[in-house]
Amino acid sequence: MTEPKKALSLALLLTLAATLSAEDASVKPEAEAEKADVEVKVEFLHNHPSLVKMWNHSNQVRAQYGLPAQKMNPELTKAAQDHAWYMAKTGQFSHSVNGGFVARTRRHNYAGSPSGEIILWNAKSIPSCFQGWLNSPGHRAILLSGAREVGYGYAVARNGSTYWVGVFGN
């Protein structure tokens, strides 16, 4: 995402967060107001249509293999999106950059046990992304694992390359 688009996205997110607040933040203690703003931002990301489509597709794939649906977790979603943005910005395609997936889940306050991460570069659609993961034995094992929670992330680099991330936990 270009810097102007990133700035516009952030401005829109902050505007949305301000308009969605049920109470006037000026009457809340500062720490409580900040916590409410963060919760609105997390909820916005957690309900982003593309990420929800990824989660739904994931559960459809799991159902084809007789596996239970996974719950979408907001903290895992933040960790996955953080890594997708990082890879798109830097061009570094790796599980170990940006602190590693366990550190990212902790940084985004995931209280559970992180169990795996799957990444894919340059898939053109959600179905092709999941097919790529299913074609990789290591990624397939994580996607079809017994993890009960998941978060997904997606970003597009300035050159148009796509970065897809799934982070799993219990």
Side-chain angles (χ1 to χ4, degrees), residues 64-119:
Q64 292 172 358
Y65 290 89
L67 298 170
Q70 294 170 319
K71 177 183 173 195
M72 191 169 173
N73 178 281
E75 288 78 24
L76 292 177
T77 299
K78 287 189 300 185
Q81 189 61 52
D82 174 306
H83 196 45
W85 281 332
Y86 179 88
M87 291 189 298
K89 181 179 178 183
T90 65
Q92 296 180 9
F93 180 71
S94 171
H95 294 284
S96 60
V97 297
N98 193 18
F101 87 92
V102 172
R104 283 191 301 280
T105 62
R106 297 294 178 237
R107 185 167 64 226
H108 293 289
N109 302 314
Y110 181 61
S113 176
S115 61
E117 176 181 74
I118 55 180
I119 60 176

Side-chain angles (χ1 to χ4, degrees), residues 41-55 70-85 101 104-110 116-117 149-155 164-169:
K41 290 174 194 171
V42 169
E43 191 65 26
F44 177 78
L45 176 62
H46 185 63
N47 289 313
H48 188 280
S50 295
L51 304 184
V52 170
K53 285 178 185 175
M54 290 178 74
W55 171 61
Q70 294 170 319
K71 177 183 173 195
M72 191 169 173
N73 178 281
E75 288 78 24
L76 292 177
T77 299
K78 287 189 300 185
Q81 189 61 52
D82 174 306
H83 196 45
W85 281 332
F101 87 92
R104 283 191 301 280
T105 62
R106 297 294 178 237
R107 185 167 64 226
H108 293 289
N109 302 314
Y110 181 61
E117 176 181 74
E149 298 180 308
V150 66
Y152 286 103
Y154 166 77
W164 306 78
V165 180
V167 180
F168 299 77

